[in-house]
Amino acid sequence: MAIENVNPSSMKLKDMVNLIYEMNIKNLGFNLDTGHAGLYGDDPAKAAELMGEKLWHTHLQDNFGANDDHCPPGIGILDWRKILKALIKIKYKGVFMLELTGTGVKSHRTIEQLKTFPLEKEMVFGINYLKFLL
């Protein structure tokens, strides 16, 4: 099971990480949602380093610091070079999953904005931007 970093109203990221490591359960780790980290005041790169070897999965998404917009990496304010360097530093070997707007996800972008940047375009942009940085 991979626990995702969410709104820290109930528990700060550092406390959650410490708790998971202290529990020392073999099949319990983390899912880093980069958009959540940035949105809730955590540096996604530092979050990855903090999660370390227990980081098993990612939700790679960007935003502008106000809403959980699920933008592709590179369309927002997150520092993707720094995030990728942190993932390389901890030798992350898990899935690089793009979490994009798609069906069923509440977006804070307008319908007109979504029409001009369809999901397929978001996927191509996000994947190619990450490849470019790597």
Side-chain angles (χ1 to χ4, degrees):
M1 180 183 335
I3 305 295
E4 182 172 337
N5 57 308
V6 293
N7 188 329
S9 61
S10 59
M11 182 178 282
K12 300 287 184 203
L13 178 63
K14 185 176 181 180
D15 295 332
M16 181 179 79
V17 170
N18 288 337
L19 178 64
I20 298 299
Y21 272 97
E22 286 175 19
M23 291 171 63
N24 197 27
I25 297 173
K26 180 181 175 183
N27 295 322
L28 183 61
F30 300 103
N31 170 38
L32 173 61
D33 186 309
T34 56
H36 289 175
L39 190 59
Y40 300 126
D42 292 309
D43 178 338
K46 289 181 182 176
E49 291 180 16
L50 193 60
M51 292 173 180
E53 66 184 21
K54 287 272 198 181
L55 177 55
W56 297 342
H57 193 72
T58 60
H59 285 174
L60 303 179
Q61 57 135 327
D62 212 333
N63 61 52
F64 295 96
N67 299 302
D68 192 20
D69 288 321
H70 296 168
C71 294
I75 302 289
I77 62 172
L78 297 183
D79 185 342
W80 289 96
R81 282 185 173 85
K82 188 175 173 184
I83 294 166
L84 291 174
K85 283 181 184 179
L87 292 171
I88 291 167
K89 179 179 178 181
I90 66 167
K91 299 178 178 154
Y92 176 72
K93 292 182 176 32
V95 173
F96 285 78
M97 181 175 286
L98 297 183
E99 183 177 27
L100 304 173
T101 301
T103 305
V105 176
K106 182 179 179 186
S107 173
H108 297 282
R109 291 179 276 171
T110 67
I111 296 299
E112 289 73 27
Q113 289 170 324
L114 291 172
K115 286 179 183 175
T116 62
F117 208 168
L119 188 58
E120 294 81 11
K121 191 173 180 180
E122 289 189 29
M123 289 188 309
V124 170
F125 180 86
I127 290 166
N128 284 305
Y129 183 69
L130 293 175
K131 282 182 181 180
F132 167 76
L133 291 179
L134 287 171

